[in-house]
Amino acid sequence: MKALITGATGFVGAAVARAVAATGADVRVLVRQDSELGNLDGLTVEHVHGDLRNPDSLRRALVGCQQLYHVAAHYALWARDPSIFYDINVTGTRLLLEAARDTGVQRIVYTSTIGAIGLPEGGGPGSEETPVSLAQMAGDYKRSKYLAEQEVVTLAKAGLPVVIVNPSAPVGERDIKPTPTGRMIVDFMKGRMPAYIETGMNLIDVDDVAVGHVRAMERGRIGERYILGNKNLMLREIFEMLSRLTGVPAPTIKLPRLAILPLAYVNKWI
């Protein structure tokens, strides 16, 4: 069994590559010419060069593969040119999945995000079935991932054997950029967080996210989506947990959201 993995040089993708390799599958990874390959150290994988915006390169990468894990995405909170989110996350996903259809890939797992899951009107956690709309998506990253999911669902209804997974906020090894969650932890460790704005998030070990991808490939129902999460925590609880583990004092000053939000908009404009 040969599996192509996109995004394998990144945080989640590298964990997925290791989990898939552990099943005994032959792993092929799609990388750009300028990709940093450090996250793949110690793995025996086949490298193929390509770009999600180049359909010919995608078809070449998929030839001979029975499985596809599409983990790659443009993941950022902001971009000077927002079109990059839609070019890579939406159009790139559609081009890749169409190439998988044309080359006869047997099973596909598409990595979405918890941000594409809806929230109940009365509050509380959402589920895979909670209704959601584009209007509920904040920011170009979430909007692009929501639209990409719609592309995936459309192709699934047309017969493409694809399953969707929605990871929450993964933490763990090889978060080299780091991700926004990882940056929060790094800033805490370096004493750069004297205050905080209370919010909630769901944390999960990145290796558990990777196992969830493999389980979705093995057992997921075509066209369905599966949340990959672990524990709902308030930010204060996360800092207290980190403080117990490291000895770094947790911030005690909680800032009011409404006072900080205007500064966030100014910062984005600058």
Side-chain angles (χ1 to χ4, degrees):
M1 184 72 70
K2 185 180 287 291
L4 176 70
I5 302 174
T6 71
T9 60
F11 178 39
V12 174
V16 171
R18 284 174 162 74
V20 175
T23 69
D26 292 328
V27 175
R28 176 185 290 173
V29 297
L30 181 72
V31 296
R32 297 187 305 274
Q33 292 284 355
D34 59 349
S35 292
E36 293 288 339
L37 305 178
N39 267 355
L40 297 175
D41 287 349
L43 272 181
T44 302
V45 297
E46 177 188 358
H47 296 182
V48 293
H49 291 111
D51 190 290
L52 289 174
R53 294 164 289 190
N54 184 333
D56 290 338
S57 72
L58 301 179
R59 291 188 181 89
R60 289 194 297 269
L62 284 162
V63 169
C65 293
Q66 293 77 45
Q67 296 179 345
L68 166 64
Y69 293 85
H70 179 31
V71 188
H74 185 73
Y75 180 28
L77 298 181
W78 179 85
R80 185 178 300 276
D81 181 2
S83 67
I84 190 172
F85 290 103
Y86 304 93
D87 290 345
I88 294 176
N89 297 350
V90 185
T91 304
T93 292
R94 176 173 51 78
L95 292 175
L96 177 66
L97 297 192
E98 288 175 346
R101 176 196 61 198
D102 296 343
T103 53
V105 173
Q106 297 171 9
R107 292 275 291 183
I108 304 164
V109 172
Y110 166 67
T111 310
S112 184
T113 172
I114 196 71
I117 296 291
L119 294 174
E121 290 186 6
S127 72
E128 292 88 343
E129 291 78 31
T130 304
V132 64
S133 68
L134 182 61
Q136 294 174 264
M137 300 293 107
D140 290 296
Y141 172 71
K142 284 187 179 181
R143 282 194 285 269
S144 68
K145 293 296 282 185
Y146 170 86
L147 293 171
E149 264 202 25
Q150 304 313 300
E151 296 278 0
V152 174
V153 170
T154 298
L155 288 166
K157 289 178 179 177
L160 190 71
V162 58
V163 176
I164 301 168
V165 293
N166 299 76
S168 58
V171 292
E173 291 183 273
R174 304 182 187 89
D175 190 1
I176 55 176
K177 276 191 173 180
T179 62
T181 309
R183 170 58 63 191
M184 177 190 72
I185 294 172
V186 169
D187 286 346
F188 172 87
M189 296 288 291
K190 292 185 175 182
R192 296 174 179 168
M193 198 163 290
Y196 68 100
I197 300 174
E198 188 65 285
T199 186
M201 64 179 67
N202 183 289
L203 295 186
I204 181 171
D205 189 295
V206 70
D207 291 330
D208 289 340
V209 171
V211 170
H213 279 71
V214 174
R215 295 291 180 265
M217 179 66 74
E218 296 171 342
R219 308 175 190 176
R221 296 178 180 175
I222 302 304
E224 291 196 0
R225 59 181 182 169
Y226 299 90
I227 294 173
L228 304 181
N230 180 22
K231 189 171 185 179
N232 293 323
L233 294 166
M234 299 304 293
L235 192 54
R236 172 183 50 80
E237 295 177 289
I238 294 172
F239 289 146
E240 289 172 352
M241 187 184 304
L242 288 170
S243 182
R244 289 195 300 271
L245 290 169
T246 66
V248 176
T252 57
I253 302 172
K254 184 171 72 172
L255 301 175
R257 183 187 302 267
L258 292 179
I260 298 301
L261 191 59
L263 297 178
Y265 282 117
V266 171
N267 182 66
K268 180 178 178 181
W269 178 79
I270 291 173

